[in-house]
Coordinates of all heavy atoms in Angstrom, one line a residue:
A710 N 13.6 -31.5 9.4 CA 14.8 -30.7 9.1 C 15.8 -31.0 10.3 O 17.1 -31.2 9.9 CB 14.5 -29.3 9.1
A711 N 15.4 -30.9 11.5 CA 16.4 -31.1 12.6 C 17.0 -32.5 12.5 O 18.3 -32.5 12.8 CB 15.7 -30.9 13.9
A712 N 16.4 -33.5 12.2 CA 16.9 -34.8 12.0 C 18.0 -34.9 11.0 O 18.8 -35.7 11.0 CB 15.8 -35.9 11.8
R713 N 17.9 -33.9 10.1 CA 18.9 -33.9 9.0 C 19.9 -32.7 9.2 O 20.6 -32.3 8.2 CB 18.2 -33.8 7.7 CG 17.5 -35.0 7.2 CD 16.2 -35.0 6.4 NE 15.7 -36.3 6.1 CZ 14.9 -37.1 7.1 NH1 14.7 -36.5 8.2 NH2 14.5 -38.1 6.6
H714 N 20.0 -32.3 10.4 CA 21.0 -31.2 10.6 C 20.8 -29.9 9.8 O 21.7 -29.3 9.4 CB 22.4 -31.7 10.7 CG 22.6 -32.8 11.7 ND1 22.9 -32.6 13.0 CD2 22.5 -34.2 11.5 CE1 23.0 -33.7 13.5 NE2 22.8 -34.7 12.7
I715 N 19.5 -29.7 9.5 CA 19.1 -28.4 8.8 C 18.5 -27.4 9.7 O 17.5 -27.9 10.3 CB 18.3 -28.8 7.5 CG1 19.0 -29.6 6.6 CG2 17.7 -27.5 6.9 CD1 18.1 -30.1 5.4
Q716 N 19.0 -26.3 9.9 CA 18.4 -25.2 10.6 C 17.3 -24.5 9.8 O 17.6 -24.0 8.6 CB 19.4 -24.1 11.0 CG 18.9 -23.1 11.7 CD 19.9 -21.9 12.0 OE1 19.6 -20.9 12.4 NE2 21.2 -22.2 11.5
V717 N 16.1 -24.4 10.2 CA 14.9 -23.8 9.5 C 14.9 -22.3 10.1 O 14.6 -22.1 11.2 CB 13.6 -24.4 9.7 CG1 12.5 -23.7 9.0 CG2 13.8 -25.9 9.2
I718 N 15.2 -21.4 9.1 CA 15.0 -19.9 9.5 C 13.7 -19.4 8.9 O 13.5 -19.3 7.7 CB 16.2 -19.1 9.0 CG1 17.5 -19.6 9.6 CG2 15.9 -17.6 9.2 CD1 18.7 -18.8 9.2
P719 N 12.7 -19.1 9.8 CA 11.4 -18.7 9.3 C 11.5 -17.1 9.0 O 12.3 -16.4 9.6 CB 10.5 -18.8 10.4 CG 11.4 -18.7 11.6 CD 12.6 -19.2 11.2
E720 N 10.9 -16.6 7.9 CA 10.9 -15.2 7.5 C 9.4 -14.6 7.7 O 8.5 -15.0 7.1 CB 11.4 -15.0 6.1 CG 11.4 -13.5 5.8 CD 11.9 -13.2 4.3 OE1 12.4 -14.3 3.7 OE2 11.9 -12.1 3.9
I721 N 9.4 -13.6 8.6 CA 8.2 -12.8 8.7 C 8.5 -11.5 7.9 O 9.2 -10.6 8.3 CB 7.9 -12.4 10.1 CG1 7.9 -13.6 11.0 CG2 6.7 -11.5 10.3 CD1 7.9 -13.3 12.6
E722 N 8.0 -11.5 6.6 CA 8.2 -10.3 5.7 C 7.6 -9.1 6.3 O 6.4 -9.0 6.7 CB 7.6 -10.6 4.4 CG 8.7 -11.0 3.3 CD 9.7 -10.0 3.0 OE1 9.9 -9.0 3.7 OE2 10.2 -10.1 1.9
S723 N 8.4 -8.1 6.5 CA 7.9 -6.8 7.2 C 9.1 -5.8 7.0 O 10.2 -6.0 6.6 CB 7.8 -7.0 8.7 OG 9.1 -7.2 9.3
P724 N 8.7 -4.5 7.0 CA 7.3 -4.0 7.1 C 6.7 -3.9 5.7 O 5.5 -3.8 5.5 CB 7.5 -2.6 7.6 CG 8.9 -2.1 7.1 CD 9.7 -3.4 7.1
G725 N 7.5 -4.1 4.6 CA 6.9 -4.2 3.2 C 6.6 -5.7 3.0 O 6.8 -6.5 3.8
H726 N 6.1 -6.0 1.8 CA 5.8 -7.3 1.3 C 4.8 -7.9 2.3 O 4.9 -9.2 2.5 CB 7.0 -8.0 1.1 CG 7.8 -7.8 0.0 ND1 7.5 -8.3 -1.3 CD2 8.8 -7.1 -0.2 CE1 8.5 -7.8 -2.2 NE2 9.2 -7.0 -1.5
A727 N 3.9 -7.1 2.9 CA 3.1 -7.6 4.0 C 1.6 -7.6 3.8 O 0.8 -7.7 4.7 CB 3.4 -6.9 5.3
R728 N 1.1 -7.6 2.6 CA -0.2 -7.4 2.2 C -1.1 -8.5 2.8 O -2.2 -8.3 3.3 CB -0.4 -7.2 0.7 CG -2.0 -6.7 0.4 CD -2.0 -6.4 -1.1 NE -3.3 -5.9 -1.4 CZ -4.4 -6.5 -1.8 NH1 -4.3 -7.8 -1.7 NH2 -5.5 -5.9 -2.0
A729 N -0.7 -9.7 2.7 CA -1.6 -10.8 3.2 C -1.8 -10.7 4.7 O -2.9 -10.8 5.1 CB -0.9 -12.2 2.9
A730 N -0.7 -10.3 5.4 CA -0.9 -10.2 6.9 C -1.8 -8.9 7.1 O -2.8 -8.9 8.0 CB 0.4 -9.9 7.5
I731 N -1.6 -7.9 6.3 CA -2.4 -6.6 6.6 C -3.9 -6.9 6.3 O -4.8 -6.6 7.2 CB -1.9 -5.5 5.6 CG1 -0.6 -5.1 6.0 CG2 -2.9 -4.3 5.5 CD1 0.1 -4.2 5.1
K732 N -4.2 -7.5 5.2 CA -5.7 -7.9 5.0 C -6.2 -8.8 6.0 O -7.4 -8.7 6.4 CB -5.8 -8.5 3.6 CG -5.4 -7.4 2.5 CD -6.2 -6.1 2.5 CE -5.8 -5.1 1.4 NZ -6.5 -3.9 1.7
A733 N -5.5 -9.8 6.4 CA -5.9 -10.7 7.5 C -6.2 -10.1 8.7 O -7.3 -10.3 9.4 CB -4.9 -11.8 7.7
M734 N -5.4 -9.1 9.2 CA -5.6 -8.4 10.5 C -6.8 -7.3 10.3 O -7.4 -7.1 11.2 CB -4.3 -7.7 10.9 CG -3.3 -8.6 11.4 SD -3.8 -9.7 12.7 CE -4.3 -11.1 11.8
E735 N -7.0 -6.9 9.0 CA -8.2 -6.0 8.8 C -9.5 -6.8 8.9 O -10.4 -6.3 9.4 CB -8.0 -5.3 7.4 CG -7.1 -4.2 7.4 CD -7.4 -3.1 8.4 OE1 -8.4 -2.4 8.2 OE2 -6.7 -3.1 9.4
S736 N -9.4 -8.0 8.5 CA -10.6 -8.9 8.5 C -10.8 -9.2 10.1 O -12.0 -9.2 10.6 CB -10.3 -10.2 7.9 OG -11.4 -11.1 8.0
R737 N -9.7 -9.5 10.8 CA -9.9 -9.7 12.2 C -10.5 -8.4 12.9 O -11.3 -8.5 13.8 CB -8.5 -9.9 12.8 CG -8.4 -10.2 14.3 CD -7.1 -10.4 14.9 NE -7.0 -10.7 16.3 CZ -7.1 -9.8 17.1 NH1 -7.1 -8.5 16.8 NH2 -7.0 -10.2 18.5
Y738 N -9.9 -7.2 12.5 CA -10.4 -6.0 13.1 C -12.0 -5.8 12.9 O -12.7 -5.6 13.9 CB -9.7 -4.9 12.4 CG -10.4 -3.5 12.7 CD1 -10.1 -2.7 13.9 CD2 -11.2 -2.9 11.8 CE1 -10.6 -1.6 14.2 CE2 -11.7 -1.7 12.0 CZ -11.5 -1.0 13.2 OH -12.0 0.2 13.5
E739 N -12.5 -6.1 11.8 CA -13.8 -5.9 11.4 C -14.8 -6.9 12.3 O -15.8 -6.6 12.8 CB -14.1 -6.0 9.9 CG -13.5 -4.9 9.1 CD -13.9 -4.9 7.6 OE1 -15.0 -5.7 7.3 OE2 -13.2 -4.3 6.8
K740 N -14.2 -8.1 12.3 CA -14.9 -9.2 13.0 C -15.2 -8.8 14.4 O -16.2 -9.0 15.1 CB -14.3 -10.5 12.9 CG -14.9 -11.7 13.6 CD -14.2 -13.0 13.3 CE -12.8 -13.0 13.9 NZ -12.1 -14.2 13.7
L741 N -14.0 -8.4 15.1 CA -14.1 -8.0 16.5 C -14.9 -6.8 16.8 O -15.4 -6.6 17.9 CB -12.6 -8.0 17.1 CG -11.9 -9.3 17.2 CD1 -10.4 -9.2 17.5 CD2 -12.6 -10.3 18.3
M742 N -14.8 -5.7 16.0 CA -15.5 -4.5 16.1 C -17.1 -5.0 16.1 O -17.7 -4.3 16.9 CB -15.2 -3.6 15.0 CG -13.8 -2.9 15.2 SD -13.6 -1.9 16.7 CE -14.7 -0.5 16.3
K743 N -17.5 -5.8 15.2 CA -18.9 -6.1 15.2 C -19.2 -6.9 16.4 O -20.4 -6.9 16.9 CB -19.2 -7.1 13.9 CG -19.1 -6.3 12.7 CD -19.4 -7.3 11.5 CE -19.4 -6.5 10.1 NZ -19.7 -7.5 9.0
A744 N -18.2 -7.5 17.0 CA -18.5 -8.2 18.3 C -18.4 -7.3 19.5 O -18.6 -7.8 20.7 CB -17.6 -9.4 18.5
G745 N -18.2 -6.0 19.3 CA -18.1 -5.1 20.4 C -16.9 -5.1 21.2 O -16.9 -4.9 22.4
K746 N -15.7 -5.5 20.6 CA -14.5 -5.6 21.2 C -13.4 -4.7 20.7 O -12.4 -5.2 19.9 CB -14.0 -7.1 21.2 CG -14.9 -8.0 21.8 CD -14.5 -9.5 21.8 CE -15.4 -10.4 22.4 NZ -14.9 -11.8 22.3
P747 N -13.5 -3.4 20.8 CA -12.7 -2.5 20.0 C -11.2 -2.6 20.5 O -10.3 -2.4 19.7 CB -13.3 -1.1 20.4 CG -14.0 -1.3 21.6 CD -14.6 -2.7 21.6
V748 N -10.9 -2.7 21.8 CA -9.6 -2.9 22.2 C -8.9 -4.1 21.6 O -7.8 -3.9 21.0 CB -9.5 -3.0 23.8 CG1 -8.1 -3.2 24.2 CG2 -10.0 -1.7 24.4
E749 N -9.5 -5.2 21.6 CA -9.0 -6.4 21.0 C -8.9 -6.3 19.5 O -7.9 -6.7 18.8 CB -9.8 -7.7 21.4 CG -9.1 -8.9 21.0 CD -7.8 -9.2 21.6 OE1 -7.5 -8.7 22.6 OE2 -7.0 -10.0 20.9
A750 N -9.8 -5.6 18.9 CA -9.8 -5.4 17.3 C -8.7 -4.6 16.9 O -8.1 -4.9 15.8 CB -11.1 -4.7 17.0
N751 N -8.1 -3.7 17.7 CA -7.1 -2.8 17.4 C -5.8 -3.3 17.9 O -4.7 -2.9 17.4 CB -7.2 -1.4 17.9 CG -8.3 -0.6 17.2 OD1 -8.0 -0.1 16.1 ND2 -9.4 -0.5 17.7
R752 N -5.7 -4.4 18.6 CA -4.4 -4.9 19.2 C -3.3 -5.3 18.2 O -2.2 -5.0 18.5 CB -4.7 -6.0 20.1 CG -3.5 -6.6 21.0 CD -3.8 -7.7 21.9 NE -5.0 -7.4 22.6 CZ -4.9 -6.8 23.9 NH1 -3.9 -6.2 24.3 NH2 -6.1 -6.7 24.5
Y753 N -3.8 -5.8 17.1 CA -2.8 -6.4 16.1 C -3.0 -5.8 14.7 O -2.5 -6.3 13.7 CB -2.8 -7.9 16.0 CG -2.6 -8.6 17.4 CD1 -3.6 -9.3 18.0 CD2 -1.3 -8.5 17.9 CE1 -3.5 -9.9 19.2 CE2 -1.2 -9.1 19.1 CZ -2.1 -9.8 19.8 OH -2.0 -10.5 21.0

Side-chain angles (χ1 to χ4, degrees):
R713 286 152 181 77
H714 297 275
I715 295 173
Q716 175 190 176
V717 179
I718 297 181
E720 181 177 354
I721 307 170
E722 263 286 26
S723 65
H726 287 276
R728 189 173 188 272
I731 289 169
K732 295 303 178 185
M734 291 301 94
E735 286 302 286
S736 176
R737 178 184 184 277
Y738 168 83
E739 292 187 17
K740 178 177 65 178
L741 290 171
M742 287 298 288
K743 288 181 179 178
K746 300 177 179 179
V748 174
E749 188 60 26
N751 282 284
R752 188 180 305 277
Y753 303 112

